[in-house]
Amino acid sequence: MFNIQTTLLLIIDVQNDFCPGGALAVQDGDGVIAPLNKLAAAFASAGGRVAVTQDWHPAGHISFASSHSGKNPGDIIDLDTVQGQVLWPDHCVRGTKGAAFHDKLNLDPVSLIIRKGFRAGLDSYSAFFENDRCTATGLEGGIKQMNIQTVIMGGLATDYCVFYSAMDCRRLGFNTIIVEDAVRGVGYPSGSVEKAVAQMRDSGIIFSDSEKLLGEMR
Ligand code: VGL
Ligand code: ZN
């Protein structure tokens, strides 16, 4: 059982570009939507908070391979602020269809939207801090003011934005629960999902599933 008043449901990057047909499609990415919609509706009707994040890059963003001459998506480079930045295809360009939330994601229960990665020269995987690991998105301050103690998290992608968000969340002292049936991974470089899951478990992040969590709300 958890106290709905001190628990946040956090939905990471369920955007067209991370779903089938998108620029950086995650396999079965839209499979996260049904369990997240169920949880979000249950949360909101019990008076709980639901937040979503949105990857929101300007054209020419530093994480795009197209912004670095001679580089291709999948190449890994060191930047001033970030070692080992993976270069991606252009994705989630602010204002485009690819950056929009997937049509099937129900936003009615959502009371907070956090956009990240909106500075041209800085990427952001985590919902809490940009990839320089110190520029805050505002989510920590916001949810501390809301007296949140537990964060239940799902969305895309397991090995990038969900991973970085969950690790920061745990480090900041929140009980952190991943909805196992409501996450999907990129899987690049090979083994990245398994590595991310192992690291999350080692850090004390809990794995549950949507039916179990719904049962604990009743
Ligand atoms: C993500 C790669 C680049 C994610 C965002 O949402 O996991 N991955 N930008
Ligand atoms: Zn991105």
Side-chain angles (χ1 to χ4, degrees):
M1 284 295 160
F2 52 87
N3 178 351
I4 195 86
Q5 299 307 324
T6 58
T7 305
L8 175 79
L9 177 65
L10 179 59
I11 298 176
I12 306 288
D13 295 3
V14 182
Q15 294 166 258
N16 290 320
D17 271 343
F18 298 124
C19 291
L24 212 173
V26 173
Q27 196 180 353
D28 192 35
D30 53 354
V32 305
I33 296 172
L36 290 173
N37 279 347
K38 269 199 208 175
L39 277 171
F43 252 73
S45 49
R49 288 270 187 178
V50 181
V52 293
T53 63
Q54 197 168 21
D55 211 35
W56 197 249
H57 301 311
H61 189 252
I62 196 165
S63 75
F64 298 170
S66 64
S67 304
H68 305 267
S69 63
K71 296 292 175 192
N72 295 304
D75 288 351
I76 298 173
I77 63 167
D78 290 332
L79 303 172
D80 291 345
T81 45
V82 182
Q83 308 269 295
Q85 166 83 46
V86 178
L87 295 177
W88 303 107
D90 292 17
H91 65 280
C92 296
V93 174
R94 61 188 186 198
T96 64
K97 177 82 182 154
F101 293 112
H102 191 289
D103 284 344
K104 299 248 160 62
L105 184 71
N106 181 13
L107 295 173
D108 293 349
V110 172
S111 55
L112 182 67
I113 299 178
I114 293 275
R115 288 175 166 167
K116 60 187 180 59
F118 57 85
R119 292 180 182 86
L122 185 56
D123 201 10
S124 184
Y125 291 146
S126 166
F128 293 93
F129 297 99
E130 311 241 337
N131 283 5
D132 61 358
R133 316 307 303 139
C134 62
T135 303
T137 63
L139 182 61
E140 180 192 5
I143 69 176
K144 279 195 170 150
Q145 262 187 332
M146 295 170 197
N147 199 26
I148 296 296
Q149 286 159 19
T150 298
V151 177
I152 296 176
M153 204 180 290
L156 304 170
T158 316
D159 39 350
Y160 288 95
C161 291
V162 172
F163 170 72
Y164 280 86
S165 298
M167 294 295 284
D168 280 346
C169 192
R170 183 75 200 113
R171 187 170 52 80
L172 292 169
F174 300 103
N175 302 316
T176 307
I177 302 170
I178 301 280
V179 189
E180 223 164 359
D181 55 321
V183 292
R184 300 288 186 281
V186 172
Y188 181 88
S190 145
S192 64
V193 173
E194 295 74 9
K195 192 174 151 199
V197 168
Q199 231 179 304
M200 289 191 277
R201 287 190 196 279
D202 284 349
S203 306
I205 293 165
I206 293 160
F207 285 73
S208 187
D209 65 71
S210 58
E211 287 305 324
K212 184 159 177 265
L213 292 164
L214 285 164
E216 288 174 359
M217 287 178 61
R218 287 183 198 114

